[in-house]
């Protein structure tokens, strides 16, 4: 049986040029996850990113109902980022997770700003302080 799994694994192409580089995107499974699986993955994402209460700066996301649900679930567990800042336009499903959390959850205060540009991602560092003003202005300070 292992040889069959290995054959399937080997049949998936590596779609990036430098397979040893740090990944920039995370594709999360199927929209048919159980609540237990969704909660488990939300905890894993939160632990891996240490995102609760921090600004989460992203290049872009690729639409996934699971990604939107993980974001909603993080908000429901009060483990959401302080804000989400995208260099490119946010995809509709990630936006849906943020919007649903904002509408359905009282404690889900998480500003989302997109289209900040590639220069923003090149400039911002972990040690910097980020403020999102009421009008959507993003201020970054050392």
């Amino acid at each position: 049986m292992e040889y069959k799994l290995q054959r399937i694994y080997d049949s998936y192409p590596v779609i990036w040029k430098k397979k040893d580089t740090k990944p920039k995107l995370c594709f999360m499974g199927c929209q048919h996850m159980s609540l237990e699986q969704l909660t488990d993955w939300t905890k894993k994402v939160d632990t891996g990113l240490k995102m609760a209460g921090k600004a989460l700066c992203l290049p872009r996301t690729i639409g996934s109902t699971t990604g939107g649900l993980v974001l909603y679930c993080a908000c429901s567990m009060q483990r959401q980022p302080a804000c989400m800042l995208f260099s490119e336009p946010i995809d509709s499903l990630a936006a849906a997770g943020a919007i649903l959390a904002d509408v359905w959850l009282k404690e889900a205060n998480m500003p989302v700003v997109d289209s900040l540009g590639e220069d923003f991602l090149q400039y911002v560092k972990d040690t910097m302080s980020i403020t999102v003003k009421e009008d959507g202005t993003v201020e970054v300070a050392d």
Side-chain angles (χ1 to χ4, degrees), residues 8 16 19 40 62 64 75 81 83 99 110 120 137:
I8 292 169
W16 48 90
K19 63 181 178 179
D40 182 53
I62 294 177
S64 164
C75 291
C83 60
I99 292 166
M110 183 185 61
F120 169 75
T137 302

Side-chain angles (χ1 to χ4, degrees), residues 9 15 39 47 50 67 84:
Y9 178 82
I15 59 173
T39 302
T47 299
K50 296 175 179 53
M84 293 183 69

Side-chain angles (χ1 to χ4, degrees), residues 97-126:
I99 292 166
L100 291 175
D102 184 58
V103 171
W104 290 346
L105 303 171
K106 293 180 182 181
E107 301 298 320
N109 182 18
M110 183 185 61
V112 177
V113 181
D114 71 345
S115 300
L116 291 168
E118 185 62 30
D119 291 343
F120 169 75
L121 278 185
Q122 297 298 323
Y123 177 75
V124 72
K125 303 290 181 252
D126 286 344

Side-chain angles (χ1 to χ4, degrees), residues 32-119:
H32 305 291
M33 285 184 172
S34 68
L35 180 58
E36 181 181 338
Q37 290 170 320
L38 182 60
T39 302
D40 182 53
W41 272 107
T42 301
K43 289 177 182 175
K44 288 177 182 176
V45 168
D46 178 45
T47 299
L49 296 176
K50 296 175 179 53
M51 68 181 181
K54 296 182 180 177
L56 189 57
C57 303
L58 305 163
R60 67 184 176 119
T61 54
I62 294 177
S64 164
T65 51
T66 300
L69 283 172
V70 166
L71 181 56
Y72 174 83
C73 195
C75 291
S76 73
M77 295 165 42
Q78 297 184 1
R79 302 296 302 156
Q80 74 269 19
C83 60
M84 293 183 69
L85 307 172
F86 294 84
S87 64
E88 297 182 26
I90 188 173
D91 73 89
S92 60
L93 295 170
I99 292 166
L100 291 175
D102 184 58
V103 171
W104 290 346
L105 303 171
K106 293 180 182 181
E107 301 298 320
N109 182 18
M110 183 185 61
V112 177
V113 181
D114 71 345
S115 300
L116 291 168
E118 185 62 30
D119 291 343

